[in-house]
Amino acid sequence: MTTSNILSILITGATGTIGSELARQLSAQGIPFRALVRSLENTQELASLPGAELIVGDMSNDKSIEKALTGIEKAFLLTNSSEQAEQLQLNFVDSAMRAGVRHIVKLSQFAADVNSPVRFLRYHAAVEQRIKESGIDYTFLRPNLFMQGLFGFREPIAKQNKFFASVGEAKISLVDIRDIAAVAAKALTSPGHEGKIYNLTGPQALSHQEIAEYLSYELKRSILFINVSPEDMRNALLSVGFPEWQANGLIEDYAHYARGEASAISSDIEVITGKSARSFDNFVKEYASLFS
């Protein structure tokens, strides 16, 4: 990868899990970048990265976006999960057109489709379509369920030795966010990724029961997976503070998983990065202490 002293990359969502990992990887490779953040609060780690330039802005404000895009050729598009996410991303695409951005690398979702019964898959597909219509070069990254999503079950695993979901016996080709960031870094810094859609998965598809078995082996205690009804899962999400729109969307996501629509395995990570996608057993070994 060629290093450059010219700042021409913008990262949105830079304080989130994937955006911050992308920032770390670009910095480690000597690639300077600008990071759009909503405030400077809790950005010390990001600001300390060599090559990082932080700019405060609001994705709902066109002028704010265009200021962040000044001089930018390539942008990584990611917003935090919110009811306004689709509109914010559409706003960004329109601003990128006016600012002369040449290439957008968008974090999308596995199986994105405008006709999907899953609202999150529809919204990602709608933004993908707007980017295509804009004439800006694009790369769409469509990752499957994040391995790091297991951190959401951290407390019941640690305290009760069990976790719950409405997914049945369906297998899912979970992916490590570090591999997603590695593909994003390649797409932003090397040629040949324009007009491409990459499905990003781990090297194997696992059921939640198999996930429990991996956890049991590594933690050296029995971890149970308990399948629950969609309504019970929804009520549990609401009880811990998820807003209704997000709880309903997650139930749709898990129905998508339960239908076996997320079991396909892609080699795109290895093809693009030259490294095998991280396996779930290695993920569990690395993060076992979090579940103890």
Side-chain angles (χ1 to χ4, degrees):
M1 185 175 294
T2 303
T3 59
S4 170
N5 293 318
I6 301 173
L7 193 155
S8 62
I9 294 172
L10 176 73
I11 302 176
T12 66
T15 57
T17 52
I18 294 175
S20 60
E21 178 62 28
L22 172 59
R24 284 190 289 270
Q25 292 193 23
L26 289 177
S27 177
Q29 296 165 22
I31 307 295
F33 60 89
R34 181 180 297 155
L36 176 62
V37 297
R38 284 174 291 178
S39 78
L40 293 177
E41 189 175 352
N42 299 319
T43 59
Q44 294 90 340
E45 181 182 351
L46 180 63
S48 69
L49 294 174
E53 175 192 292
L54 273 57
I55 184 168
V56 176
D58 183 346
M59 289 280 280
S60 65
N61 184 298
D62 292 349
K63 289 185 178 179
S64 179
I65 299 172
E66 288 170 22
K67 180 181 178 183
L69 287 169
T70 301
I72 294 296
E73 295 183 359
K74 300 184 178 185
F76 178 69
L77 177 55
L78 163 64
T79 52
N80 67 319
S81 184
S82 74
E83 237 178 329
Q84 295 77 40
E86 178 178 341
Q87 189 57 54
L88 292 175
Q89 293 199 15
L90 293 174
N91 290 348
F92 183 90
V93 176
D94 292 344
S95 294
M97 288 175 60
R98 292 190 292 270
V101 173
R102 291 168 46 194
H103 187 186
I104 293 176
V105 177
K106 171 176 162 48
L107 187 80
S108 186
Q109 187 173 341
F110 191 83
D113 189 323
V114 290
N115 298 312
S116 174
V118 182
R119 68 192 68 191
F120 299 147
L121 298 183
R122 291 196 302 272
Y123 115 63
H124 281 300
V127 178
E128 288 184 356
Q129 186 59 37
R130 178 68 68 86
I131 295 171
K132 287 182 177 180
E133 292 169 354
S134 75
I136 299 172
D137 283 337
Y138 64 85
T139 308
F140 300 146
L141 310 184
R142 292 181 175 177
N144 210 343
L145 181 64
F146 304 160
M147 292 181 188
Q148 283 78 359
L150 194 63
F151 297 158
F153 299 117
R154 177 179 172 181
E155 187 169 339
I157 291 171
K159 295 183 177 179
Q160 304 174 43
N161 294 319
K162 60 182 70 171
F163 64 108
F164 311 81
S166 177
V167 69
E169 298 177 1
K171 292 180 181 286
I172 306 168
S173 51
L174 299 91
V175 62
D176 193 300
I177 62 168
R178 292 170 292 184
D179 291 330
I180 300 169
V183 173
K186 286 286 189 181
L188 288 165
T189 59
S190 58
H193 303 286
E194 297 83 359
K196 300 293 180 63
I197 299 174
Y198 296 133
N199 291 313
L200 307 181
T201 76
Q204 61 189 146
L206 299 172
S207 68
H208 275 54
Q209 176 57 42
E210 289 170 322
I211 289 172
E213 291 168 5
Y214 275 109
L215 286 167
S216 298
Y217 179 81
E218 192 59 39
L219 299 176
K220 297 179 174 56
R221 64 181 197 270
S222 179
I223 305 297
L224 298 177
F225 165 66
I226 300 174
N227 191 59
V228 297
S229 69
E231 188 61 25
D232 284 344
M233 184 175 177
R234 180 179 181 276
N235 289 337
L237 291 169
L238 293 172
S239 72
V240 295
F242 280 81
E244 190 168 355
W245 69 268
Q246 192 170 27
N248 290 340
L250 287 170
I251 293 303
E252 292 170 3
D253 262 343
Y254 272 84
H256 156 66
Y257 301 142
R259 290 190 295 268
E261 297 170 353
S263 62
I265 297 169
S266 167
S267 62
D268 284 350
I269 288 172
E270 184 169 8
V271 169
I272 297 158
T273 68
K275 298 179 180 178
S276 298
R278 289 174 170 85
S279 63
F280 185 74
D281 59 337
N282 283 335
F283 167 82
V284 174
K285 288 174 183 175
E286 284 188 74
Y287 292 102
S289 62
L290 295 179
F291 302 100
S292 300

